[in-house]
Amino acid sequence: MTEQTQAVENTSTSNVTSIIRIISGVLGHFIVKRFLFFLFVVWLASTVIFIIPRLSGQDPVKEKLLLEAQRGGAMQTGLDAMAKSYQKRFGLDQPMWTQYVNFLKDLSRLDLGVSIAFFPRTVNDIVFESLMWTLGLMGTVTILAFILGTLAGAVLGWPRKPGWLQYIFMPLLTLSAIPQYLLAMILIFVVAFQLNWLPLFGGYAPATVPTLTFEFAVDVLRHAILPAFAIIFSAIGFWAIGMRGMMINTQGEDYMIQADAKGLKGSRIFMRYAVRNALLPQVTGLALVLGTIVTGQVLVERVFSYPGIGDILFQAIRLSDFFVIRGIVIIIILGIAGATFLLDVLYPLLDPRIKVRNS
Amino acid sequence: MTESVTTPDVLIPDNSGGWSEFNAERLTPMKKYAMRNPSLIVGLGMLLGMLLLVGIGHVVWDTEQFRPLSAPTRLGPTLSAELRDGTTAAFPFGTDTQGRDLLAVAILGTPLTLRVGLIAGGVAIGLGTVAAFLAAYYRGIVDGIIRSVVDVGLAMPALLILILVRINIGRELSIDEIGIAIGLTSWVFPARTIRSQVLVMREQTYVELSRLSGTSGMGIIFKEMIPNLIPYITASLVGSVAGAILASIGLEAIGLGNFSEPTLGMTIYWNIQFSSITLGMWWWWLPPLAAIVIVFVSLFLISSGLDEWSNPRLRKRV
C-alpha cells in the first residue's frame, strides 16, 4: 500500500522520466496487442453489419425503388430492369464472397459508399457535414458535464463536506433519471415557447447561410444553449453518482488512513489522495461516453431539429437510405473501439499500478 | 414502532399464531428495513401507485378511443365537449390533432411501455446471467469466446443495431417483438458485470469449502452462487428494464415503433411529428412526459434501494 501511495505521488514529480520509461517498456507488445484487438473488434462488428441485411433476405435497393414507385405512381414494368442496373451500380449482383471482400476493401479506405436517397452524394460527404454540428455541441457539453459532475460527486462523497450539500444530491439524482430529450421538451416549452427567450429549433436561423461572421456565431450559440442545457442537466447527475461512489470507496483504504496519520491538510488529502484515486474509473467512463457522443443524443437533436447526426439518421430512416444508416453505424463503432483503444494505451500513464501488472 | 407490532403477538392466543408469527418474524424486519431504506419504498410506491391509477382507468374509462378519429380533434382538457351529433362527452385529458382521446392513450400507454421494458430486461438478464456463469465458472476457451463477444458487443451501439435490424426486417414489429429484440441486443453489459461478480465469488471461502466437500459444479452454481447473487441480479434487472424502456422509446420516437400501439414512445413520436409544443397543445405532451419521468425516477429509486441491499458497504458511510 505504501508503494502505491508513493507511486501516485512520484508520477507528478518525475512525470517525464516515468513517461519515457513506460513508453519504452510498453511499446514492445502491449500497444501492438491492443491495436490488433481494436482491428478485430472493428472487423467483427462490420462483418455483423454486412451479414444482418443478407439474413433478412431483403434487398435495400429494390425496397427503395419500390417505395419510390409507390409514392410517385411510376410504371411498374421497368422496375426489375431498373433494380438490376442499380444492383450492378452498387455491386450487389456479384457473389456474396466478392461483395464481402469489396465491402472490407472500401471500409479500409474509409469509403462508406453512396447515398441511395441523395444519389450522387457520398455517405462520407453527408455524414461529415453533420458530424461537425454534433461534435461541436456534444463534445463541448460532454466534457463540461464531466468536469462539473465529477467535482460535484467528489464533494458529495467527502465526509467533511458542509451539511447543506446533502440536499442537492437528491435533485441531481432525479434529474439524471429523466431522459435528456424529455428535459429538452420541457426546456423548449418553458424557455423558447412560453418565455420566448431562445429559438425553438434548428442549428441557426432558418433564413441565414452559414458564414464566418460574428452575427452567425452568436446565432449558432443561441441555438446551442437549450440542447446543451438539456444534456448537461442530466449528465451531471450521472457523473456525480459514479464519482460519489468511488470517493466513498476510497474512504476505508489504507493510504487514506496513512495520509490522515501523517497529519496532511484536508485539502491535500482530498485532491491528491481521494480524488486522484477515485478519478480513474471516471476517466474510463469518459472515454466510453466520448465514443458514443455521436449517437448518444440522437433524440435530443431530433427534438430540436438540430442539424447533426441525429437529424441525418432520422432523415435516412424516413427515406430508408440504407447506406447512410450503415455508414453512421460504422462511424460510431470506429469511435467507440477507437476510444477504448486510446484508453487502454493511455491508462498506464494515469495509473502506474497498471504498468507493474504488464511488465 | 416495534412495540405496536409486537403487542398483538402477546394478546392473540396460540391458535391464530400463524399470522402473528409471520408478523413478528417476517413483517417486522421488513418494516424496520423499509425505514432504513426509504428509496426502495418510495420507488416501489410510485410505480405501484401509477399502476393502480392505470388499473382504475382501465375499469372506469372507455379505452377504445385511443384510435385516431374516434374523438374531435385538438380539444383542450374539457369535461363537456359538444360532439357533432349534438351529444356531449368528457375529455379530461383533451384530444390530439388526429382525434385520439388522450386519457385512453395515457391509460393504455404506460403498461405497454412497462411490458416492453420487462420483456427486454428479462431476456437481457437471463442471457447475461447464463453467459456470465458459463464464462466465469468454466473459464478457459468458453470464457475467451464469451469475453470477446461481450467486448465486441459493447463496442456496437445497441440502438443503431436495432435500427439496422428493424430497417432490414422491413415491417412493423409488435410490442413483444420489440421487447425481445431490445433484450437480444442488451445482454452484454449485464453479462460483463455479473461475470466479474461470479469471479469474485469463486474465490470466496464458502465456495471453496463447498467444492472441497464434493459438491458438483451445478450444485455450487445453484446452491451457493445464485442465492448470493440474487440481490445483485435483481438490481441489474431493474437497471436493464430502465435501459430497455429508454431504448424502446428511442426506437419509437425516431419512427420505428409500432404505429397502431399507443405506447408512451409512440405518443412522443406523434408529438414531435406534429410539433405539439409550437401548437401550444401542452395537454398532449405533458401526460406521456410525466408518465415517463415517474417510471424512470421510480425505477432509479428502486435500483438504488436494491443497491443498498446488495452492497452493504454503502450503508454506513455518508
Side-chain angles (χ1 to χ4, degrees):
Chain A
M1 276 303 141
T2 333
E3 286 160 62
Q4 274 178 20
T5 328
Q6 278 165 0
V8 170
E9 287 239 285
N10 276 345
T11 34
S12 52
T13 52
S14 59
N15 247 332
V16 184
T17 48
S18 70
I19 287 175
I20 292 169
R21 207 176 336 123
I22 289 164
I23 289 177
S24 59
V26 128
L27 258 181
H29 61 289
F30 173 62
I31 292 180
V32 177
K33 231 165 76 183
R34 282 288 141 193
F35 187 69
L36 288 179
F37 184 73
F38 163 76
L39 288 183
F40 172 73
V41 167
V42 172
W43 168 75
L44 205 59
S46 26
T47 304
V48 170
I49 288 167
F50 178 83
I51 292 172
I52 288 175
R54 270 83 186 172
L55 279 183
S56 67
Q58 300 225 356
D59 177 352
V61 176
K62 204 168 175 181
E63 290 280 303
K64 176 69 190 156
L65 286 174
L66 270 173
L67 202 72
E68 290 294 308
Q70 280 167 2
R71 278 190 191 146
M75 290 208 297
Q76 305 281 320
T77 43
L79 208 65
D80 273 330
M82 216 159 112
K84 277 230 167 59
S85 80
Y86 267 94
Q87 282 176 342
K88 210 177 165 94
R89 176 74 184 73
F90 288 111
L92 293 173
D93 54 344
Q94 281 152 354
M96 194 72 82
W97 182 248
T98 332
Q99 281 185 44
Y100 179 61
V101 173
N102 283 341
F103 169 71
L104 287 185
K105 253 191 222 159
D106 287 348
L107 200 62
S108 65
R109 283 185 281 117
L110 282 180
D111 178 1
L112 299 174
V114 186
S115 158
I116 303 179
F118 309 98
F119 174 61
R121 292 191 71 188
T122 61
V123 174
N124 280 350
D125 191 23
I126 295 173
V127 169
F128 280 109
E129 191 186 298
S130 52
L131 203 60
M132 291 301 114
W133 288 94
T134 299
L135 286 182
L137 175 66
M138 303 304 163
T140 322
V141 166
T142 307
I143 289 169
L144 209 62
F146 172 78
I147 295 171
L148 291 175
T150 305
L151 274 178
V155 175
L156 283 169
W158 186 240
R160 280 170 265 176
K161 63 175 179 294
W164 56 267
L165 269 175
Q166 198 63 48
Y167 298 107
I168 69 163
F169 189 55
M170 270 326 274
L172 268 186
L173 287 187
T174 316
L175 273 180
S176 79
I178 302 173
Q180 284 131 339
Y181 48 88
L182 297 184
L183 276 179
M185 290 176 80
I186 298 172
L187 283 177
I188 293 181
F189 180 70
V190 176
V191 181
F193 183 71
Q194 291 283 356
L195 300 172
N196 214 354
W197 286 349
L198 289 166
L200 279 164
F201 60 85
Y204 47 89
T208 53
V209 181
T211 43
L212 271 176
T213 58
F214 179 70
E215 284 79 28
F216 184 72
V218 171
D219 189 40
V220 167
L221 277 181
R222 271 170 56 83
H223 279 83
I225 292 174
L226 281 188
F229 267 96
I231 296 160
I232 283 186
F233 272 144
S234 67
I236 282 184
F238 172 77
W239 295 117
I241 296 168
M243 188 63 181
R244 176 176 170 273
M246 289 312 299
M247 285 291 282
I248 291 171
N249 276 342
T250 62
Q251 297 305 319
E253 298 286 350
D254 293 346
Y255 56 81
M256 293 293 288
I257 298 170
Q258 193 218 17
D260 225 7
K262 283 202 302 200
L264 293 177
K265 267 190 300 181
S267 60
R268 191 178 166 82
I269 303 179
F270 177 72
M271 284 308 290
R272 303 294 292 271
Y273 288 75
V275 171
R276 177 88 197 255
N277 281 295
L279 206 55
L280 289 169
Q282 291 286 100
V283 175
T284 317
L286 178 65
L288 292 178
V289 169
L290 279 180
T292 61
I293 51 172
V294 179
T295 49
Q297 311 306 343
V298 166
L299 287 169
V300 177
E301 290 187 357
R302 172 89 188 93
V303 170
F304 282 102
S305 311
Y306 202 76
I309 289 280
D311 204 48
I312 289 292
L313 186 63
F314 176 74
Q315 302 295 344
I317 289 170
R318 213 167 49 88
L319 302 167
S320 49
D321 194 340
F322 178 74
F323 290 100
V324 169
I325 302 171
R326 194 180 74 179
I328 293 175
V329 177
I330 290 173
I331 285 176
I332 311 299
I333 288 170
L334 278 176
I336 300 176
T340 322
F341 169 64
L342 274 183
L343 185 77
D344 281 337
V345 173
L346 294 177
Y347 216 76
L349 299 180
L350 295 171
D351 187 352
R353 284 170 285 180
I354 304 286
K355 187 193 74 174
V356 181
R357 208 180 300 156
N358 276 308
S359 57
Chain B
M1 176 79 223
T2 352
E3 283 160 37
S4 64
V5 178
T6 43
T7 24
D9 204 20
V10 186
L11 294 175
I12 297 166
D14 263 11
N15 53 8
S16 66
W19 166 248
S20 62
E21 206 173 283
F22 176 72
N23 198 357
E25 276 183 16
R26 300 275 170 183
L27 278 185
T28 314
M30 273 169 78
K31 280 178 196 159
K32 268 190 189 160
Y33 186 72
M35 295 297 287
R36 216 178 56 217
N37 192 351
S39 61
L40 184 64
I41 300 306
V42 173
L44 278 175
M46 277 167 76
L47 200 60
L48 292 178
M50 193 168 68
L51 285 179
L52 186 72
L53 283 181
V54 165
I56 294 173
H58 261 286
V59 177
V60 302
W61 199 253
D62 172 23
T63 49
E64 271 307 299
Q65 297 202 328
F66 78 87
R67 292 177 214 286
L69 301 176
S70 56
T73 58
R74 297 188 189 212
L75 274 183
T78 171
L79 287 177
S80 59
E82 197 154 323
L83 300 183
R84 211 171 293 160
D85 56 5
T87 56
T88 57
F91 296 103
F93 277 41
T95 62
D96 65 10
T97 50
Q98 292 166 299
R100 295 183 186 82
D101 174 11
L102 289 174
L103 179 56
V105 171
I107 291 169
L108 291 176
T110 314
L112 278 177
T113 297
L114 283 175
R115 178 163 150 189
V116 176
L118 278 176
I119 292 174
V123 170
I125 292 293
L127 280 177
T129 311
V130 171
F133 272 100
L134 284 178
Y137 197 81
Y138 293 105
R139 303 306 303 270
I141 192 150
V142 183
D143 193 20
I145 292 170
I146 290 177
R147 245 176 50 208
S148 25
V149 170
V150 166
D151 279 338
V152 174
L154 284 176
M156 312 217 329
L159 186 64
L160 288 179
I161 299 301
L162 281 175
I163 290 172
L164 271 186
V165 172
R166 164 64 182 73
I167 295 273
N168 282 296
I169 289 173
R171 65 176 172 85
E172 281 177 27
L173 297 177
S174 75
I175 292 289
D176 295 350
E177 285 170 334
I178 290 179
I180 293 170
I182 293 174
L184 288 177
T185 54
S186 57
W187 61 272
V188 287
F189 187 69
R192 182 147 122 161
T193 54
I194 295 172
R195 173 181 168 274
S196 61
Q197 292 285 320
V198 178
L199 278 182
V200 172
M201 199 170 272
R202 222 167 156 261
E203 310 300 325
Q204 303 281 319
T205 36
Y206 61 86
V207 173
E208 199 79 8
L209 186 71
S210 181
R211 196 177 298 130
L212 285 177
S213 31
T215 317
S216 66
M218 281 294 143
I220 292 178
I221 288 179
F222 283 104
K223 284 188 197 135
E224 306 287 342
M225 289 179 157
I226 298 249
N228 280 298
L229 265 182
I230 279 179
Y232 189 81
I233 291 177
T234 321
S236 322
L237 176 69
V238 176
S240 281
V241 169
I245 291 178
L246 195 64
S248 80
I249 295 176
L251 206 59
E252 286 165 340
I254 211 159
L256 292 174
N258 190 313
F259 281 73
S260 50
E261 300 277 6
T263 59
L264 296 177
M266 282 319 293
T267 315
I268 296 284
Y269 170 79
W270 294 119
N271 269 291
I272 301 176
Q273 201 67 5
F274 288 92
S275 51
S276 63
I277 295 178
T278 40
L279 288 175
M281 295 170 70
W282 53 268
W283 61 88
W284 191 0
W285 54 264
L286 200 58
L289 201 120
I292 293 172
V293 168
I294 292 174
V295 166
F296 277 108
V297 171
S298 62
L299 284 178
F300 176 77
L301 288 174
I302 292 172
S303 93
S304 57
L306 287 173
D307 244 6
E308 203 258 12
W309 178 36
S310 66
N311 187 5
R313 206 176 166 187
L314 291 173
R315 264 176 217 167
K316 282 160 205 152
R317 308 208 183 97
V318 182

